[in-house]
Amino acid sequence: MNSSVLLCLMVMLVQLWPCSPSMQNSSAQNTVQSFTAARRVKRGWLWEPLFATEEQISPDPVYVGQLKSDLDKQDGNLQYILTGEGAGSIFYINESNGKIYVKQKLDREKKPFYTLRAEAINRSTRLPVEPESEFIIKVRDVNDNEPQFLDGPYLATVPEMSPEGTSVTQVTATDADDPSYGNSARLLYSLIQGQPYFSVEPKTGVIRMASQMDRETKDQYLVIIQAKDMVGQPGAFSATATVTINLSDINDNPPKFQQRLYYMSVSEEAPVGTTIGKVFAEDSDTGENAAMDYFIETDSPDVFNIITNNETQEGIILLNKRVDYESRRRYSIQVKAVNRYIDQRFLKEGPFEDTTIVKINVEDADEPPVFTLENYVMEIVEGAMIGALVGVVTARDPDNDDSPIRYSIVHSTHLKRLFSINEHNGAIITTEPLDREIASWHNVTVTATETRNPEKISEANVYIQVLDVNDNAPEFPKNYETFVCENAVSGQLIQNISAVDQDDPTEGHHFYFSLAQEDANSSHFIVKDNQDNTAGIFTGKSGFRKQEQFFFYLPILIQDNGTPPLTSTNTLTVTLCDCDTEVNTFYCRYGAFMYSLGLSTEALVAVLACILIFLVFFLAIVAIRQQQQQKKPPFSEKMEEFRENIVSYDDEGGGEEDTEAFDISALRTRTVMRTHKPRKKVASEIQSLYRQSLQVGPDSAIFRQFISEKLEEANTDPSVPPYDSLQTYAFEGTGSLAGSLSSLGSNTSDMDQSYDYLADWGPHFKQLAGMYSSHKTVGD
């Protein structure tokens, strides 16, 4: 520690002055000189400790202290000057004797001390006789501030039934007075309100439990705490704070049923899960401390069940099993309510549970019939006669009146053809023969209905198994393709065979193979039974000749092990092959196929060559047509539409045989446009041909020549749409007596044409001939 700080501490200890940093630095030497002068009576300042009491009010200035130089002869030759904080306004100094006075009321809480500077000068020479020195005037505290609770009002929570002395919370008050001077800031806490439940520590303000309290009796308390300064002496200031103390719940109360006996009822028709009623045990605790579980004890715990509603804490009794009025009409159960969470501290208080009795009455109801079994399983052998008994179902009315029962089958149309039931006694019989191989099981739904109340219906399932009988003979599983080579040797295996049987014997299948009696003495082939439901076909000799026989038909006899056993004869076809040394099977198949067609090898080659030539020719035609389609003009599709729609008629209709005209489809050929030929004048030709047609029939060579020429001309004329038709009718059909009436042969005018021929047409045209004939008279 440096010397200036040490000297400052010494001055502070002697004079009780605070030492500021400025004193440590700029005035350390002056302070030492002042201390030395004051205590050792050497040259320097002489002064007393300076204190000014706060809050002092007086009409006259209050004396604080005096500054004095040891050179002062008290002859008025020295002048004291005061500068610094508050000099002249708060403090002033008597320039002659150095006494300092305070003129205003001071507040330590605003400013606890003032730093001033003193100077002594010679009045005559105006020269300092003492160097300027810094000092402090400390404001002495008085009790002028009340305690304050800055954090109030307070809220605290403590578990109920807490033991005496348990800390609840702590309150703290503050005082602005100087805690280092006097008792102005020394506080003392006391309890104004809250006895005898709580207490407070006087010095710390810690509130404690003074006794055990029950939340169920009272769950909230209002406590008032007082804080006094001056250690509670008379004239001290005080302040109060409120503390709201809540008691939190603990599980210290068991559940209690409000009723010791409950009455409930349930109908015997009620389904499982029906709510029968509710019970309630009250718990004075709250939250999870009031949570409880319900249990059923004693009588018939399997018939009823109880669950807890966690929101209402009610016990809900449910039907766990159907009840029957006729079997039992009343139940008595004991229900227990147990706290879900137990506080181990209060186990000694007793069991946290309660019980009550619930009596449940079963109400009678008209119930549907009840089958003796829920599911029936019956058996019947297949092939049984129509009307054979399958089995009997039985139902009864569970009510006391024992209503008669009527039975029926609910089935599809298919089942209806197979079974029926006697509506009075429930006997099920067959209506059709049964085949196990078609269906081995049949499911039938049988209903039982009360005759007095048809709405009461019950159902039962009947499963009918059709038992197997040996009614199917064994047979080959497939068509075997068996071949034998001409150069085969005796004893050579050529085929393995097996068998299948649609029956299903309980001991399993076992088949026996042999040659039929009619072929048993044949020396060509031998059947060897392998005793494992298979058999081998072996050659019975060496060497075969196709010229003698190409196919062999072996009758194989297969017998099963049923009761009685069934036998079938299956034919195995063996084809003789011309094999090489490696026994080429493909060649053998090919030879057999050719033989079945009756063709030799040369004939088959010729057929294949013809097919190949036809295929090449067909492909060439397809290629040429594709090329023509690629060269097709862009308007070919539209022209195709025109071809289908444009038909030109330049003449009148014909007679009854106009249908003998040429078909228009004959004109619709895709003929390539030939070189254009100049069109002949048709009018004169038609005129002359018309005249000739009066003497010839439609089958005349002249008419056929005319049609051919016109057809050729139409096909080669580029000025008309393609494929149009020209149909010319120059006369009536062959059956007309009048000849043709066509206008194609008419002259340019009526004056150029003679109608005398009308007179030759008979009496039907007499009037017409009179109108147009040249022999008509003027009077006509």
Side-chain angles (χ1 to χ4, degrees):
M1 184 179 296
N2 57 38
S3 58
S4 61
V5 176
L6 180 60
L7 291 174
C8 182
L9 290 176
M10 293 175 63
V11 173
M12 182 179 66
L13 291 174
V14 175
Q15 301 182 350
L16 298 179
W17 288 359
C19 187
S20 64
S22 60
M23 293 175 62
Q24 296 178 18
N25 298 325
S26 62
S27 303
Q29 187 64 30
N30 295 336
T31 304
V32 174
Q33 292 176 357
S34 300
F35 176 79
T36 303
R39 298 305 174 196
R40 299 182 183 179
V41 196
K42 291 183 179 180
R43 182 177 180 275
W45 287 102
L46 294 174
W47 51 41
E48 299 174 358
L50 303 179
F51 294 96
T53 304
E54 67 170 338
E55 301 294 339
Q56 284 187 337
I57 302 175
S58 175
D60 298 325
V62 178
Y63 173 75
V64 175
Q66 182 179 9
L67 298 178
K68 186 176 182 181
S69 173
D70 58 356
L71 298 179
D72 187 1
K73 304 300 183 179
Q74 297 182 358
D75 54 2
N77 191 31
L78 293 181
Q79 179 182 357
Y80 294 94
I81 298 174
L82 185 65
T83 59
E85 295 178 334
S89 58
I90 300 177
F91 304 98
Y92 77 92
I93 189 169
N94 188 319
E95 295 180 353
S96 300
N97 55 23
K99 293 183 178 181
I100 301 173
Y101 300 88
V102 59
K103 300 189 297 181
Q104 297 181 7
K105 183 172 66 173
L106 303 178
D107 188 353
R108 189 201 66 83
E109 286 70 40
K110 292 182 179 180
K111 191 169 180 62
F113 61 89
Y114 294 86
T115 301
L116 296 97
R117 291 183 298 276
E119 186 179 5
I121 64 174
N122 190 300
R123 291 180 183 272
S124 301
T125 62
R126 310 305 297 175
L127 295 176
V129 296
E130 292 288 353
E132 185 178 58
S133 179
E134 185 178 272
F135 64 96
I136 293 174
I137 299 177
K138 186 177 180 181
V139 181
R140 184 171 290 168
D141 182 51
V142 296
N143 189 18
D144 59 345
N145 290 280
E146 298 179 353
Q148 291 184 351
F149 289 94
L150 301 180
D151 298 328
Y154 294 88
L155 181 65
T157 301
V158 63
E160 63 171 330
M161 306 302 294
S162 295
E164 182 179 349
T166 300
S167 175
V168 179
T169 188
Q170 182 179 14
V171 296
T172 303
T174 59
D175 196 319
D177 294 325
D178 188 359
S180 63
Y181 178 75
N183 297 325
S184 299
R186 295 180 62 187
L187 302 180
L188 191 67
Y189 299 95
S190 61
L191 196 65
I192 302 298
Q193 178 179 315
Q195 299 90 350
Y197 310 108
F198 303 96
S199 64
V200 62
E201 293 182 356
K203 294 182 179 180
T204 62
V206 175
I207 301 175
R208 299 184 180 276
M209 300 287 291
S211 63
Q212 285 189 335
M213 288 174 286
D214 188 3
R215 186 199 66 83
E216 287 71 36
T217 303
K218 186 177 181 180
D219 61 354
Q220 190 178 80
Y221 293 85
L222 185 64
V223 177
I224 300 178
I225 303 296
Q226 184 184 63
K228 272 189 176 183
D229 59 12
M230 300 293 293
V231 200
Q233 296 177 2
F237 293 107
S238 65
T240 59
T242 60
V243 183
T244 301
I245 301 176
N246 293 313
L247 297 181
S248 60
D249 184 58
I250 62 173
N251 192 7
D252 59 342
N253 291 280
K256 292 290 183 183
F257 282 104
Q258 301 303 306
Q259 295 179 229
R260 288 301 168 187
L261 185 62
Y262 289 85
Y263 291 96
M264 301 177 185
S265 62
V266 59
S267 172
E268 63 175 342
E269 285 186 321
V272 173
T274 300
T275 299
I276 301 175
K278 300 177 181 179
V279 296
F280 177 65
E282 186 177 6
D283 193 325
S284 299
D285 297 322
T286 61
E288 69 176 18
N289 294 326
M292 64 189 73
D293 294 316
Y294 294 90
F295 302 94
I296 292 180
E297 296 182 335
T298 66
D299 192 13
S300 303
D302 58 329
V303 179
F304 305 98
N305 188 25
I306 189 168
I307 60 175
T308 303
N309 186 329
N310 292 324
E311 294 183 359
T312 63
Q313 294 302 315
E314 293 177 313
I316 303 174
I317 300 176
L318 305 175
L319 184 63
N320 196 43
K321 185 179 180 181
R322 293 289 295 270
V323 293
D324 184 14
Y325 175 82
E326 287 70 28
S327 300
R328 186 169 181 177
R329 302 183 180 183
R330 186 175 295 105
Y331 294 86
S332 179
I333 62 176
Q334 180 173 310
V335 177
K336 178 188 290 186
V338 181
N339 270 137
R340 187 175 301 169
Y341 306 103
I342 304 296
D343 194 331
Q344 301 296 327
R345 297 176 299 173
F346 300 98
L347 286 177
K348 65 177 183 290
E349 300 294 333
F352 286 83
E353 59 184 41
D354 196 18
T355 59
T356 187
I357 301 298
V358 180
K359 294 185 177 297
I360 302 174
N361 293 325
V362 180
E363 297 178 347
D364 188 22
D366 189 4
E367 299 175 88
V370 177
F371 282 95
T372 55
L373 296 175
E374 293 183 0
N375 299 300
Y376 292 85
V377 179
M378 301 178 181
E379 296 178 347
I380 186 171
V381 295
E382 64 174 328
M385 298 177 58
I386 296 176
L389 178 64
V390 180
V392 179
V393 297
T394 305
R396 65 176 183 84
D397 184 7
D399 299 318
N400 291 330
D401 55 0
D402 195 13
S403 173
I405 304 299
R406 184 176 69 252
Y407 300 94
S408 62
I409 292 179
V410 180
H411 44 39
S412 64
T413 305
H414 170 70
L415 291 178
K416 187 174 182 181
R417 293 195 301 266
L418 297 179
F419 305 99
S420 66
I421 189 170
N422 188 307
E423 66 175 7
H424 300 294
N425 59 20
I428 300 176
I429 60 175
T430 61
T431 58
E432 295 288 340
L434 303 178
D435 188 353
R436 188 203 66 84
E437 285 69 40
I438 296 177
S440 59
W441 284 91
H442 298 277
N443 299 334
V444 179
T445 301
V446 178
T447 62
T449 307
E450 287 186 13
T451 56
R452 298 174 186 174
N453 187 0
E455 294 182 355
K456 300 301 179 179
I457 303 175
S458 297
E459 292 185 352
N461 295 320
V462 180
Y463 303 100
I464 302 173
Q465 183 181 15
V466 182
L467 301 179
D468 183 47
V469 297
N470 193 24
D471 58 348
N472 291 278
E475 59 185 2
F476 282 157
K478 62 179 180 177
N479 292 325
Y480 291 102
E481 293 183 359
T482 306
F483 305 93
V484 63
C485 295
E486 286 183 300
N487 55 357
V489 297
S490 178
Q492 181 178 339
L493 176 65
I494 61 173
Q495 183 69 57
N496 280 316
I497 60 174
S498 61
V500 294
D501 194 332
Q502 296 183 12
D503 295 322
D504 188 16
T506 57
E507 63 275 9
H509 287 293
H510 188 78
F511 302 115
Y512 306 94
F513 301 88
S514 63
L515 277 175
Q517 186 64 33
E518 60 270 20
D519 204 57
N521 297 323
S522 174
S523 61
H524 298 298
F525 301 97
I526 300 173
V527 176
K528 182 181 180 182
D529 195 334
N530 297 326
Q531 299 299 319
D532 60 355
N533 292 337
T534 64
I537 309 299
F538 296 85
T539 57
K541 66 174 187 175
S542 299
F544 294 86
R545 293 175 57 85
K546 286 192 294 183
Q547 290 77 6
E548 296 178 357
Q549 188 174 353
F550 199 86
F551 293 102
F552 295 90
Y553 301 99
L554 300 183
I556 307 298
L557 192 67
I558 308 176
Q559 178 180 319
D560 61 17
N561 61 332
T563 305
L566 294 181
T567 304
S568 67
T569 301
N570 299 264
T571 300
L572 180 67
T573 301
V574 181
T575 304
L576 187 60
C577 304
D578 185 9
C579 305
D580 53 16
T581 56
E582 297 179 358
V583 191
N584 192 322
T585 305
F586 171 78
Y587 177 76
C588 185
R589 292 173 182 264
Y590 156 76
F593 174 73
M594 295 304 300
Y595 180 83
S596 63
L597 293 179
L599 299 176
S600 63
T601 304
E602 293 78 4
L604 180 61
V605 173
V607 171
L608 294 178
C610 292
I611 294 175
L612 181 60
I613 293 173
F614 175 77
L615 181 61
V616 173
F617 180 72
F618 175 76
L619 294 176
I621 293 176
V622 172
I624 294 172
R625 179 159 296 186
Q626 289 180 351
Q627 292 179 358
Q628 290 177 351
Q629 289 180 353
Q630 293 176 357
K631 296 179 180 180
K632 191 175 181 179
F635 298 102
S636 60
E637 294 183 0
K638 294 186 178 180
M639 297 305 293
E640 191 74 17
E641 296 179 0
F642 297 155
R643 180 190 68 185
E644 295 294 335
N645 298 324
I646 298 178
V647 179
S648 177
Y649 297 92
D650 292 337
D651 45 43
E652 295 183 2
E656 294 80 5
E657 297 187 7
D658 283 349
T659 56
E660 296 179 0
F662 55 87
D663 189 358
I664 190 173
S665 61
L667 300 178
R668 295 179 177 176
T669 57
R670 299 178 179 269
T671 305
V672 181
M673 190 68 68
R674 295 184 292 270
T675 307
H676 172 66
K677 297 180 181 180
R679 185 165 183 167
K680 300 177 181 180
K681 292 185 178 181
V682 187
S684 60
E685 294 181 3
I686 294 177
Q687 183 69 25
S688 60
L689 290 173
Y690 169 72
R691 296 302 181 185
Q692 298 177 23
S693 68
L694 296 178
Q695 288 80 29
V696 297
D699 295 331
S700 173
I702 298 175
F703 180 77
R704 291 196 296 271
Q705 179 183 359
F706 172 75
I707 292 298
S708 299
E709 291 180 357
K710 298 310 172 189
L711 178 60
E712 179 68 19
E713 184 178 340
N715 286 338
T716 58
D717 189 355
S719 62
V720 297
Y723 312 116
D724 76 338
S725 63
L726 174 64
Q727 299 186 30
T728 302
Y729 300 90
F731 42 78
E732 294 281 349
T734 57
S736 176
L737 298 175
S740 177
L741 296 177
S742 175
S743 62
L744 294 176
S746 302
N747 292 330
T748 305
S749 64
D750 292 341
M751 298 301 296
D752 299 332
Q753 186 174 357
S754 173
Y755 298 95
D756 293 340
Y757 59 86
L758 293 177
D760 300 331
W761 285 7
H764 295 289
F765 297 93
K766 181 178 181 181
Q767 186 177 356
L768 185 61
M771 293 174 62
Y772 290 93
S773 175
S774 60
H775 301 287
K776 65 181 178 179
T777 60
V778 178
D780 292 339

